[in-house]
Amino acid sequence: MDVRVSIIGTGNVGAATAFGLLSASTVSELVLVDINRKKAEGEAMDLNHGVSFVSPVEVVSGDYSDCKGSRIVIFTAGANQKPGETRLDLASKNAAILKQAIPELMKHCPDAILLMVANPVDILTYVALQVSGLPHRQVIGSGTVLDSSRLRYTLSRHFGVDVRNVHAYIAGEHGDTEVPLWSLANIAGADLDHIEFFGKAPLDRQALFEETKTAAYHIIERKGATYYAIALAVRRICEAILRDEHSVLTISSLIDGHYGIDDVCLSLPSLVHAGGRERILDLPLSDEEEGLLRHSAKELRKVLSGLGF
């Protein structure tokens, strides 16, 4: 069966995502769209020159009309935050881009799942949901899927264990108010208070969380941008959708009553399947974690209110 996925925006993240999907062998056609048409054309040409090394796939560049029939539309287009610019400034600029782009996309692919990746991702996921008029299950954001992977990597390095055996989540905003769900973290089924058998130094949770939360800043300081890991996170979300996996991922989506939170998009462990977000898992959290999630939601609501939502 033909599987078309479209990527709006072919900057660092969009191009890396295209490469990730090409190498994953989960799509048969990739459509690249960018306001800079030559950039999209160049990326498509470059990727097509490697298709003999992967499963059959066609990469094309085009415009919104070429996205017709897409199973997923990945939105990475947007401005980057500049020095001295507030999050509200960035949100305002990128929300304006969405308000123009989403109605055009809806003309051609109203059945596609919208996967928001551009930042601030939780704000833009909410804006996309409101502007598109799509069911909330059909509009999701990459959320804290990457943040959770960073936390797992940092824990795996501390304990000297394969990262695939580490289970931990970051929830809330993809940003400064994100929340580590320590109460759910475990290695091989053992919570972090009962893993003395690894023979490692005591875990400094706050230091480890700060390392996780600030990771992007350190990468940007060194190479100017982050794109490989987020591209792999987006690929993972697409795999869960295209394979109808019912996987648990911390995507961003509309929260309506969970943990006392309403009318914002943020990340919570959720089941992801062919229709997008199936449901949010009401997992038992500590009182402190629930309070921090409500604080995260409050900060996001402030930004949304500033944008008129």
Side-chain angles (χ1 to χ4, degrees), residues 114-303:
L114 281 182
L115 174 50
M116 306 306 299
V117 182
N119 280 317
V121 67
D122 303 291
I123 300 299
L124 297 186
T125 301
Y126 186 92
V127 173
L129 179 64
Q130 300 304 315
V131 173
S132 69
L134 292 174
H136 59 76
R137 63 170 178 79
Q138 210 171 320
V139 182
I140 61 177
S142 53
T144 58
V145 174
L146 172 56
D147 308 76
S148 297
S149 180
R150 285 172 173 157
L151 178 62
R152 292 167 190 160
Y153 169 75
T154 308
L155 283 167
S156 75
R157 189 177 58 183
H158 176 84
F159 289 109
V161 65
D162 188 336
V163 67
R164 293 172 297 180
N165 297 123
V166 179
H167 307 282
Y169 298 114
I170 297 284
E173 176 197 12
H174 171 58
D176 293 339
T177 65
E178 64 187 36
V179 181
L181 302 183
W182 294 116
S183 64
L184 301 179
N186 71 86
I187 297 176
D191 66 58
L192 300 188
D193 291 325
H194 299 87
I195 48 178
E196 293 86 352
F197 48 84
F198 282 103
K200 301 294 181 179
L203 179 66
D204 185 336
R205 295 187 181 188
Q206 187 58 37
L208 188 144
F209 171 54
E210 287 299 322
E211 181 180 345
T212 301
K213 186 171 70 170
T214 61
Y217 299 120
H218 296 298
I219 295 169
I220 292 168
E221 179 186 352
R222 288 161 173 79
K223 57 174 279 187
T226 66
Y227 39 90
Y228 294 132
I230 183 58
L232 289 172
V234 173
R235 189 185 86 173
R236 179 69 193 95
I237 298 168
C238 289
E239 288 173 343
I241 294 168
L242 297 174
R243 296 173 180 168
D244 194 23
E245 288 182 348
H246 297 257
S247 291
V248 178
L249 297 169
T250 51
I251 56 165
S252 182
S253 64
L254 182 67
I255 311 301
D256 188 16
H258 298 271
Y259 308 109
I261 299 169
D262 288 291
D263 198 33
V264 295
C265 288
L266 53 72
S267 293
L268 289 170
S270 306
L271 283 180
V272 180
H273 69 342
R277 189 201 79 184
E278 180 179 4
R279 63 188 176 92
I280 293 170
L281 302 181
D282 287 309
L283 300 173
L285 305 180
S286 70
D287 291 342
E288 180 184 10
E289 288 165 348
E290 289 193 23
L292 289 170
L293 282 173
R294 285 191 288 271
H295 170 70
S296 186
K298 183 179 179 180
E299 293 302 306
L300 288 168
R301 175 40 49 202
K302 287 180 183 177
V303 177

